[in-house]
Amino acid sequence: MPRPYTLFTGQWADLPFEEVARLASGWGYDGLEIAVSGDHLDAWRWDEPGYVEAKLALLEKYNLKVWAISNHLKGQAVCDDPIDFRHQGIVGSKVWGDGDPEGVRQRAAEEMKHTARLAKALGVDTVVGFTGSSIWQYVAMFPPVPEKVIEAGYQDFADRWNPILDVFDENGVRFAHEVHPSEIAYDYWTTVRTLEAIGHREAFGLNWDPSHFMWQGIDPVSFIWDFKDRIYHVDCKDTKLRPTGRNTVLGSHLPWGDPRRGWDFVSAGRGDVPWESSFRALTAIGYTGPISIEWEDAGMDRLHGAPEALTNLKKYDYPASNTSFDAAFSAKD
């Protein structure tokens, strides 16, 4: 059975939810990975009479389904230190409140609990998102950072996220963390350490998005295999690498699309992600969940790029063989 293809709505939150549904349906998507953003979803309304029913009815109107929802923006604020002007722009007034950092973290954690409840109400078992990190600020390791500070950062993550994950468990929902710079797990070894910090509890898994691996030099295919029991969701975004000796991996504080950058996000199928090998690896580990296209490309109109990305990726995502080579070679005339 082919994997369903969904469009992640996070980059479309400036449009009304119904308009995004209409567009995605017309392009041939099977469903949406709905972001808790804009008017698309509001986690605080999870138990409001008629709210969830109206969302599901709208999806049905456009012949779409939902297999996962996401809440990256509020998840970011759960562990981040510092909490500052950047967060005010992404978490919304309810979570920001008076801007007191610990208050923001606590309200963000409460929203993540509501997101698990909302997922259950929608009939969804996976929430995709970020965790934030109190130690990302030390990534350069200079001035020198004692190991006890890093250990405290992973403990802070566990202390803040275990109560959230308890609510996920209560609702039969899993959290799929997107391994991403600025998070507690941003590369291979920090992912290992993050899973260790929470005792490998099953409520916490991974959202495989190869775009962030490419510019860090992480093999996205090996990552699938090594964390095969934790790949709970797949987001597909592409990256074009262009290191020149001037253009570097850290981006030089240059905006997206600037040709002086060492890499940029591009429409899926136009970058350097090894999609065919990646899809073969996903098939090998038995992943049958949605392939969600997270469309970002500063050099292309999204109304052109989103349908093109769907066509591009489907070329590489073909059904696995149901005939073993041993059986084929031993067949009798």
Side-chain angles (χ1 to χ4, degrees):
M1 185 175 181
R3 289 178 279 241
Y5 275 74
T6 61
L7 180 68
F8 174 51
T9 75
Q11 285 79 18
W12 305 77
D14 58 312
L15 297 180
F17 181 56
E18 181 163 4
E19 176 63 7
V20 179
R22 184 189 69 80
L23 288 169
S25 179
W27 291 329
Y29 283 89
D30 301 304
L32 299 175
E33 176 195 343
I34 311 173
V36 179
S37 187
D39 80 330
H40 296 192
L41 280 178
D42 183 343
W44 299 85
R45 299 175 68 182
W46 71 273
D47 60 348
E48 179 182 308
Y51 180 74
V52 167
E53 291 78 5
K55 295 295 181 182
L56 292 174
L58 194 150
L59 290 172
E60 185 176 1
K61 175 182 177 180
Y62 292 99
N63 197 30
L64 297 172
K65 295 183 179 180
V66 56
W67 288 269
I69 64 174
S70 73
N71 199 343
H72 291 73
L73 303 183
K74 300 1 175 296
Q76 184 68 46
V78 172
C79 287
D80 263 8
D81 185 7
I83 295 287
D84 57 27
F85 64 93
R86 299 167 300 164
H87 299 82
Q88 186 174 10
I90 66 171
V91 299
S93 60
K94 185 182 294 290
V95 170
W96 182 256
D98 60 3
D100 172 70
E102 186 56 28
V104 172
R105 295 185 192 102
Q106 293 295 330
R107 289 185 290 274
E110 192 62 27
E111 177 160 327
M112 295 310 296
K113 295 174 183 177
H114 287 327
T115 304
R117 298 172 179 125
L118 175 61
K120 180 182 179 181
L122 286 163
V124 167
D125 67 2
T126 303
V127 172
V128 184
F130 290 151
T131 61
S133 171
S134 65
I135 53 176
W136 171 253
Q137 60 184 302
Y138 306 125
V139 67
M141 297 299 282
F142 188 85
V145 180
E147 175 59 24
K148 66 181 181 180
V149 172
I150 305 304
E151 291 175 356
Y154 283 96
Q155 186 61 53
D156 177 73
F157 156 71
D159 291 344
R160 293 182 183 277
W161 273 90
N162 271 320
I164 297 171
L165 295 173
D166 289 343
V167 176
F168 273 72
D169 278 336
E170 290 167 10
N171 287 276
V173 177
R174 310 176 302 179
F175 182 72
H177 169 56
E178 184 170 335
V179 178
H180 184 293
S182 79
E183 311 308 322
I184 195 67
Y186 59 87
D187 63 8
Y188 187 97
W189 294 115
T190 55
T191 300
V192 171
R193 195 163 183 177
T194 295
L195 293 171
E196 291 173 347
I198 54 168
H200 294 268
R201 61 183 297 178
E202 291 186 9
F204 188 93
L206 306 173
N207 177 52
W208 180 82
D209 180 342
S211 61
H212 311 291
F213 298 160
M214 299 304 293
W215 64 269
Q216 293 186 83
I218 303 167
D219 177 9
V221 180
S222 296
F223 192 95
I224 291 171
W225 183 255
D226 290 354
F227 295 102
K228 54 184 176 290
D229 64 330
R230 294 290 161 161
I231 305 297
Y232 290 172
H233 190 262
V234 166
D235 270 354
C236 293
K237 191 159 81 259
D238 215 333
T239 297
K240 187 65 180 177
L241 304 171
R242 47 172 183 265
T244 63
R246 292 190 182 95
N247 302 357
T248 68
V249 296
L250 295 182
S252 307
H253 295 295
L254 295 167
W256 305 116
D258 192 304
R260 295 171 294 173
R261 289 180 57 88
W263 60 276
D264 241 319
F265 294 133
V266 295
S267 188
R270 289 181 172 268
D272 296 310
V273 172
W275 291 113
E276 181 170 3
S277 297
S278 296
F279 283 135
R280 284 176 178 263
L282 289 169
T283 298
I285 67 168
Y287 179 80
T288 58
I291 302 295
S292 188
I293 292 176
E294 183 180 358
W295 195 87
E296 289 187 33
D297 190 328
M300 181 185 294
D301 188 285
R302 62 185 176 178
L303 297 180
H304 170 82
E308 180 202 73
L310 178 62
T311 300
N312 286 345
L313 290 188
K314 282 191 170 182
K315 292 187 301 186
Y316 303 112
D317 188 19
Y318 34 75
S321 172
N322 58 10
T323 303
S324 73
F325 281 110
D326 288 343
F329 283 123
S330 64
K332 303 275 194 234
D333 290 332

